[in-house]
């Protein structure tokens, strides 16, 4: 069974409508896909405006039914974790009957490092990585999320510390395991300056060693990118030792064989 659990529509920063994406996924042989438009409590242009939440709910319910004989449509959301805002985030999530919630870190403090690389130059990259991994650990511990999104997004623009970061990877993988979250293998990093999957292979191997489950994600912002680089991603998972991937229904996790 082929799944893709992370994609964006025109309701947030995606370029295509739900139906265009569904048709592309069917043509590519997908059995199950999940929409995950952005929910962020900081007003920013790539988020879905909060007043569009009812429209998102209606669209997904309608399309789930319309395409039920062709493909399983899952209802996900990608929610920004912002330390201190846990209650607000929990309240928002509780209003939406989703299949799963991806928790992501696009902000460090009030810096949207994912959209604005200008500040990397004047910072200690190692300190940034430490702060990033501490925050992502906090997101896992919060219990708000089923899946941790692009677990090393901090490398997106190709800034890597000179120091060894194995201990950051290990500490983070241990927190993921203890917090009972799934991580995603997100293939979209291949299109970015880092030209790498999230997480990087050494981090992926450590997550596997700690017993952290995985799911498969394109993070497509265009219909044609659904399932991008999945052949490579699947063989990488196999080499790493993963045999199962996680799927969700009404926030309950189960596993299927790696395709
Ligand atoms: Zn994201
Ligand atoms: Zn995304």
């Amino acid at each position: 069974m082929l799944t893709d659990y992370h994609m964006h529509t025109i309701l947030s920063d995606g370029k295509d409508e739900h139906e265009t994406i569904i048709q592309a996924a069917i043509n590519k042989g997908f059995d199950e896909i999940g929409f995950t438009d952005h929910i962020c409590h900081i007003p920013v242009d790539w988020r879905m405006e909060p007043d569009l939440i009812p429209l998102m709910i209606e669209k997904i319910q309608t399309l789930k039914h319309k395409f039920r004989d062709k493909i399983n449509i899952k209802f996900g959301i990608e929610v920004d974790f912002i330390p201190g805002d846990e209650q607000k985030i929990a309240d928002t999530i509780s209003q939406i009957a989703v299949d799963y919630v991806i928790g992501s870190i696009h902000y460090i403090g009030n810096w949207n490092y994912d959209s604005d690389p200008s500040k990397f130059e004047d910072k200690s990259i190692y300190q940034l990585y430490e702060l990033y991994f501490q925050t992502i650990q906090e997101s896992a511990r919060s219990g708000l999320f089923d899946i941790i999104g692009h677990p090393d997004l901090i490398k997106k623009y190709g800034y890597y510390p000179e120091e060894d970061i194995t201990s950051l990877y290990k500490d983070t993988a241990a927190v993921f395991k203890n917090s009972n979250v799934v991580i995603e293998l997100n293939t979209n990093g291949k299109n970015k300056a880092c030209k790498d999957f999230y997480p990087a292979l050494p981090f992926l191997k450590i997550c596997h060693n700690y017993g952290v489950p995985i799911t498969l994600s394109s993070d497509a912002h265009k219909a044609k990118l659904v399932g991008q680089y999945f052949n490579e991603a699947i063989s990488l998972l196999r080499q790493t030792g993963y045999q199962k991937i996680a799927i969700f229904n009404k926030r309950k996790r189960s596993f299927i064989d790696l395709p």
Side-chain angles (χ1 to χ4, degrees):
M1 190 164 115
L2 194 55
T3 62
D4 184 342
Y5 260 41
H6 189 154
M7 58 196 67
H8 299 274
T9 75
I10 51 163
L11 291 183
S12 60
D13 58 345
K15 301 288 176 266
D16 290 306
E17 303 258 3
H18 292 79
E19 285 217 35
T20 314
I21 297 167
I22 293 169
Q23 212 55 64
I26 293 169
N27 293 343
K28 290 177 188 204
F30 278 88
D31 302 287
E32 181 163 301
I33 59 167
F35 290 106
T36 52
D37 276 310
H38 286 288
I39 290 186
C40 179
H41 287 102
I42 299 173
V44 61
D45 59 2
W46 45 258
R47 73 171 185 172
M48 181 176 61
E49 288 305 315
D51 59 1
L52 292 177
I53 290 176
L55 177 64
M56 169 181 71
I57 296 172
E58 188 206 306
K59 274 209 178 281
I60 293 180
Q61 292 314 335
T62 308
L63 294 168
K64 248 184 206 254
H65 187 74
K66 178 170 175 186
F67 288 95
R68 69 191 183 285
D69 297 330
K70 295 206 168 106
I71 191 166
N72 294 334
I73 309 286
K74 292 289 169 181
F75 190 175
I77 42 178
E78 181 180 13
V79 180
D80 267 71
F81 176 72
I82 296 155
D85 272 1
E86 288 83 353
Q87 192 53 52
K88 226 197 261 184
I89 296 168
D91 290 346
T92 302
I93 294 171
S94 70
Q95 292 165 28
I96 315 172
V98 287
D99 289 306
Y100 60 91
V101 182
I102 299 177
S104 292
I105 312 264
H106 303 108
Y107 278 88
I108 291 176
N110 54 13
W111 174 33
N112 185 194
Y113 73 91
D114 169 50
S115 304
D116 168 22
S118 65
K119 289 192 197 150
F120 278 99
E121 293 291 349
D122 47 64
K123 296 226 190 299
S124 150
I125 302 300
Y126 185 71
Q127 280 175 8
L128 266 182
Y129 270 60
E130 272 187 325
L131 188 55
Y132 172 83
F133 281 102
Q134 278 164 15
T135 313
I136 206 161
Q137 288 171 23
E138 215 177 318
S139 78
R141 278 199 213 95
S142 74
L144 291 164
F145 309 117
D146 305 298
I147 301 170
I148 299 300
H150 36 61
D152 58 355
L153 184 65
I154 191 70
K155 71 171 185 215
K156 176 176 178 178
Y157 293 101
Y159 291 92
Y160 295 97
E162 284 166 17
E163 292 84 349
D164 180 37
I165 52 173
T166 308
S167 66
L168 291 181
Y169 287 162
K170 285 186 176 167
D171 292 351
T172 305
V175 171
F176 288 165
K177 179 63 185 171
N178 292 335
S179 309
N180 197 27
V181 291
V182 170
I183 58 164
E184 60 172 9
L185 182 64
N186 180 318
T187 58
N188 200 28
K190 283 273 181 187
N191 300 323
K192 310 299 180 188
C194 64
K195 292 195 173 3
D196 194 8
F197 293 145
Y198 311 113
L201 185 57
F203 189 19
L204 180 70
K205 284 181 174 163
I206 289 169
C207 286
H208 177 260
N209 289 342
Y210 276 80
V212 179
I214 194 118
T215 194
L216 260 174
S217 294
S218 67
D219 207 348
H221 287 66
K222 292 178 185 162
K224 67 174 185 194
L225 296 180
V226 169
Q228 59 179 337
Y229 308 106
F230 269 26
N231 287 340
E232 191 183 335
I234 290 163
S235 64
L236 194 70
L237 286 178
R238 214 175 282 288
Q239 282 169 37
T240 307
Y242 278 103
Q243 292 172 340
K244 303 269 179 194
I245 59 169
I247 57 171
F248 288 86
N249 187 40
K250 298 189 170 120
R251 305 201 71 181
K252 280 194 72 170
R253 178 166 92 196
S254 57
F255 290 93
I256 55 170
D257 289 333
L258 197 64

